[in-house]
Amino acid sequence: MTGWRDDPTLRALVDRVIPADEYPSGWQAGVGDFMDRILATDLRGRVPFVRAGLALLEAESRARYAGTRYADAPFAALPAAVQDGMITDLLAGNRRVDWGDTGPAEFFELMIRLAAQGFYGDPDNGGNIGGVSWSMIGYRVLPPGAEWPDPPPPQEAPVIGWAEVRGGYDAIVAGAGAGGGVAACVLAEAGHRVLLVERGHWLSPADLRPDHLRNQRTMAGDYDTPAGPPAQGNPRVFAGAGGDVVVWPADPRWSNNAMTVGGGTRVFGAQAWRFCPEDFRMASVYGVPPGSSLADWPISYEDLAPCYDRAEWELGVCGDPAGNRHAGPRTRGYPMPPLPANGTAASLHRGARALGLSTSPIPLLINSVPYQGRGACLQCGACVGFGCPGDFKNGTHNTVIPRAVATGRCDVLTGVQVERVVTDGDGRVTGVALVGEAAGRPVRREVTAARVLLGAGAVETARLLLNSPSGREPGGLGNDHDQVGRNLQAHVYAGALAMLDEPAQDCLGPGPSISTNDFRHYNEGILGGGMLANDFVMPPLQAWSVLASQRAFPTWGLANKQAMRTHYRRLVSVAGPVQEVPNPDARVTVDRRTTDRFGIPVARLSGRVHPEDRRTAEFLTARAVDWLDASGATRVLPFVGVPDGPSGGQHQAGTCRMGSDPARSVTDAWGRVWGHDNLYVVDASLHVTNGGVNPVLTVLALAYRVATAAAGEPS
Ligand SMILES: Cc1cc2nc3c(=O)[nH]c(=O)nc-3n(C[C@H](O)[C@H](O)[C@H](O)COP(=O)(O)OP(=O)(O)OC[C@H]3O[C@@H](n4cnc5c(N)ncnc54)[C@H](O)[C@@H]3O)c2cc1C
C-alpha cells in the first residue's frame, strides 16, 4: 500500500467527483482502497503525475483564496461548493499557478476516470464495497435465483513444453484462435501429426473472471488484459493522420483481438452470423467504387454453406433464422433454440412492428440448453470480453482444440511465438522458426513440417508472411505482387444510444437478443449495409465511460452520479457492423525500425477506411435512430464510429484475401498461398469482404474448408 488512503486532498477530490447523497460517496465506497492498490501496481508509473497534480491543487487553492476567509485552508477544508467551483474553473483552463507539464485538464480527467473505476468497477479491485454502486444503478451479474455452478476441479492445461517439441510434423498451425483451432482439429482427426503453436497461454476460467478493468470489453486503456499480450515488449506502429506513433496493446489503435488459446473466441460475445449470398458477390452486385479493391470472393455462399453448418453443429450455435431476410439457404436449423430475450428487446419489438421491420434473435455460440457435455447458459450480465465461468460459451478452446488433443496427435505449445516461416534453398516451405522465453532469455528453434497453416489473425498472419522473405520471394512469402497485408478491414460501427422512458435493462446476458437484417443489402444509394441489434449488457464502468464520451451528462459530481442512477436501466444501444468497402491502401506492413521483445519487426497499420464506409455508417445510424424513436426512447444519441486510420481491432480481416488471380490476391480459393503447395492461411485474413455482420462464423467455416483441403480429405 502506498498511503493514498490517508491523503486528505485525494479524499476530498474523490468525494467531489462522486459525492455522498443517499448513497455513499466515492471514498466511502472504497475508492481510497482502490487508489492505494492501483497506484502501487498497474499504474505505479502515474504516481509522480498524481502527486504533482495533488500538490498543484493545493497550491492553486492557496493562490486563489489568499486574503479571503479561506486563506491557508487546504483544499480539503474548503466548502464543497467552493471545491466544485474550483474544479470547474480549472477544467475550463483557468489557473492561477503554473501547472508546468501537469495540465489541469489531464490531471482531472485521470482522477475522474480512476474514481469512476474504483466506484463502478468490480469489488475485487478494491472499491465498490459490497457492490454498492451496482445496487445503486440496478446492475447485477447473475439473474435472480441463479447460482454459479461449482468450479470444475483445476486441470492441468494439455500443453507440451519446449523439450517435448518434435520435428517432422505433418502440419504446424500458427495461432490457436478461431481458425487455427478448427484447422488443428480437422488435421489431427484426419490422422495428421500436428503442432499447434500459440503465443498466448491456455487460460482457466479463473484467469478470465469478470474483472471490469482488465478485459477485452471495457478496455479502460490503462491496463494489460489476461487475454491480450502485455504492453511490455509488444509495440505496433499506427500511421494515423498525425504520422507514425508507437502504440501498445491497450490502445485501440493497436487493434487487439485476444491472444490466448481460443484467440478471440475465448472472450468473444459469440454472435454467430453467416454472411449472406450477396456478401460473396459485392463487386458484381454493386460495382467497384473508385479507390476501392471491392471484389467478389472466388467462392459462393453455396460453396461455404456446408462448412457453416459444420461450424454451427460442431461448436454449437443457438438461434432461429426466421425473420432474417438475408439468411442464406440452409439445410437444417441450429442445434439449439435461441436464448430468452433480454429486457430491452420488448420495447424494440414494439418499435420494429411500428416501422414494419422484420426481426430475428441473434445466433450465438452459446449453449441455450446443455450441449456436448457442457451446461446451459445462466444469462449472466458479464459475458462479452470475459471468459465464461460456467464454460457455456463455445469457442475453439473448449470444443475443437480439446478434440484435436484427444486424438493423441496434436501437440499444443503455448507461450511461444512463430517468428517466421522457414523455406529451403528452392523457396519451398519446410517448417517454422519459433521463439519463446526461458529463464528470462529468448530461446529459438526451428521445427520442420510437411505443411504450415497460418492462423495468427489478420494483422499477425500478414506480419509473419512479410517477416519470412526467401531468396525466391525477397518481399515476403506470397508477396510477389505486393498483396500481403493490403485490404485491411474490419467493421466501422454505427448506431445510437438511447434512454427508454421506462427501466428495461434487466442485465440478462449476453444482451443482444433482437436484430434486424433488413438493411444488409439493397439500400438506396448505399453499397451493402449492415445488421442492427441491441447491445451486450454494459458493465457499469462501460456505461459510465460511454456516457462520459458522449458528453451526455457532466462527467463528475452529483449530476453524474444521479444520471447513472436514473439512466443505467433505461439505457439501450442499437448498433451494428458496417460492411466495409476494402481499399488497398489500408494495410499491414512491417516497421523494420520498431521491434518486439524478441527483436522481430512489428506490424505497422496504415491507410484509411473508404469514404463509402462513412456514408453507410451514417445511413445505418439513421435507421437505428428511427428504430429507437419508434420504440419509445426519450433521448437518442447517434454515433458513427469511423476511425482516424484503418479499421482493425476485434473484427480485423482481409490482409491475405483469397482470389482467382495471383496478382490481386494472396491465396487461391482453398486458402493456399499462391506459389506454395504446402502453405495455407486459415484465419480472417482470407476474407475478401467482411460482411455486414460479425465475422467469426465465417472464419470458422473457412478454416473447415481450408484445413479439409490441406488434410487431403474430400471437403
Ligand atoms: C471481446 C471480443 C468480442 C468479440 N465478439 C464477437 C462476436 O460476438 N461475434 C463475432 O463474429 N466475432 C467476435 N469477435 C471477433 C472474433 O473473435 C474474431 O473475428 C476471430 O477470433 C478471428 O479469428 P482468427 O482465427 O482470425 O484470429 P484469432 O481468433 O484472433 O486467433 C489468432 C491467434 O493467433 C495467435 N498468434 C498471433 N500471432 C502469433 C504468432 N506469431 N505465433 C503464435 N501464435 C500467434 C494469437 O495469440 C491468437 O490466439 C470478438 C472478439 C473479441 C476480442
Side-chain angles (χ1 to χ4, degrees), residues 237-596:
V237 174
F238 179 85
D244 282 17
V245 280
V246 173
V247 290
W248 308 95
D251 185 323
R253 295 171 297 178
W254 198 89
S255 256
N256 195 8
N257 183 8
M259 292 194 168
T260 173
V261 171
T265 72
R266 187 69 184 87
V267 290
F268 64 177
Q271 295 198 33
W273 295 97
R274 291 184 180 200
F275 288 2
C276 62
E278 289 85 349
D279 294 339
F280 295 85
R281 299 188 282 110
M282 287 294 286
S284 296
V285 175
Y286 296 104
V288 181
S292 88
S293 47
L294 196 65
D296 290 350
W297 289 53
I299 59 173
S300 65
Y301 172 85
E302 287 70 24
D303 292 326
L304 202 57
C307 299
Y308 274 134
D309 180 83
R310 212 171 151 188
E312 286 164 353
W313 285 76
E314 291 193 18
L315 279 88
V317 175
C318 69
D320 179 356
N324 176 352
R325 279 196 189 152
H326 285 284
R330 26 186 329 125
T331 49
R332 54 180 168 168
Y334 291 106
M336 292 174 275
L339 280 168
N342 178 288
T344 61
S347 312
L348 292 169
H349 258 299
R350 280 195 299 278
R353 247 197 329 269
L355 294 174
L357 296 179
S358 50
T359 59
S360 63
I362 283 87
L364 295 162
L365 278 147
I366 292 180
N367 287 358
S368 61
V369 292
Y371 192 68
Q372 296 192 345
R374 282 177 290 105
C377 173
L378 299 175
Q379 297 201 268
C380 81
C383 182
V384 62
F386 307 110
C388 176
D391 223 9
F392 311 132
K393 229 175 3 177
N394 304 321
T396 54
H397 64 287
N398 58 1
T399 57
V400 285
I401 295 175
R403 265 172 54 185
V405 173
T407 63
R409 287 185 291 273
C410 179
D411 290 341
V412 183
L413 180 66
T414 56
V416 170
Q417 214 165 302
V418 175
E419 173 170 15
R420 154 176 73 76
V421 179
V422 176
T423 44
D424 64 15
D426 297 329
R428 182 176 164 75
V429 170
T430 56
V432 297
L434 302 177
V435 58
E437 213 173 60
R441 299 175 152 247
V443 196
R444 291 188 143 86
R445 168 157 181 204
E446 289 189 9
V447 184
T448 54
R451 46 183 87 61
V452 171
L453 296 93
L454 302 180
V459 173
E460 292 296 318
T461 284
R463 177 187 176 208
L464 265 174
L465 288 172
L466 295 170
N467 273 335
S468 306
S470 71
R472 202 181 70 175
E473 293 164 291
L477 295 186
N479 199 30
D480 276 356
H481 297 280
D482 189 22
Q483 289 298 301
V484 171
R486 290 194 183 274
N487 308 309
L488 174 63
Q489 59 196 292
H491 284 127
V492 164
Y493 261 74
L497 280 169
M499 318 300 164
L500 296 173
D501 51 2
E502 291 290 331
Q505 177 57 267
D506 54 8
C507 300
L508 214 54
S513 42
I514 177 169
S515 65
T516 182
N517 280 266
D518 290 6
F519 306 117
R520 269 172 78 174
H521 285 285
Y522 308 119
N523 302 297
E524 186 76 35
I526 297 292
L527 273 78
M531 175 273 304
L532 288 171
N534 58 340
D535 196 9
F536 293 97
V537 175
M538 281 195 209
L541 186 56
Q542 190 193 18
W544 178 87
S545 111
V546 164
L547 291 170
S549 70
Q550 291 274 334
R551 303 272 161 202
F553 313 103
T555 56
W556 61 281
L558 215 47
N560 180 270
K561 188 180 181 190
Q562 287 171 350
M564 280 292 286
R565 190 147 79 228
T566 314
H567 295 296
Y568 179 77
R569 294 204 52 225
R570 294 163 200 261
L571 189 63
V572 57
S573 163
V574 164
V578 165
Q579 164 119 260
E580 292 183 7
V581 170
N583 77 83
D585 299 329
R587 67 187 301 196
V588 175
T589 51
V590 287
D591 187 316
R592 307 233 166 254
R593 293 160 307 178
T594 311
T595 54
D596 67 10

Side-chain angles (χ1 to χ4, degrees), residues 177-179 198-199 257 259-260 264 269-271 418 455-456 650 683-684 694-696:
E198 168 56 47
R199 65 182 270 176
N257 183 8
M259 292 194 168
T260 173
Q271 295 198 33
V418 175
Q650 296 172 350
D683 59 29
N694 310 50
V696 79

Side-chain angles (χ1 to χ4, degrees), residues 567-647:
H567 295 296
Y568 179 77
R569 294 204 52 225
R570 294 163 200 261
L571 189 63
V572 57
S573 163
V574 164
V578 165
Q579 164 119 260
E580 292 183 7
V581 170
N583 77 83
D585 299 329
R587 67 187 301 196
V588 175
T589 51
V590 287
D591 187 316
R592 307 233 166 254
R593 293 160 307 178
T594 311
T595 54
D596 67 10
R597 66 199 176 112
F598 297 121
I600 310 169
V602 304
R604 175 176 182 270
L605 313 184
S606 60
R608 301 276 173 281
V609 296
H610 193 275
E612 286 294 333
D613 300 342
R614 177 172 285 282
R615 272 170 22 85
T616 312
E618 283 167 356
F619 166 81
L620 264 191
T621 292
R623 300 294 74 76
V625 169
D626 293 346
W627 190 2
L628 286 160
D629 280 341
S631 305
T634 51
R635 185 168 177 197
V636 180
L637 305 164
F639 63 83
V640 172
V642 179
D644 160 33
S647 195

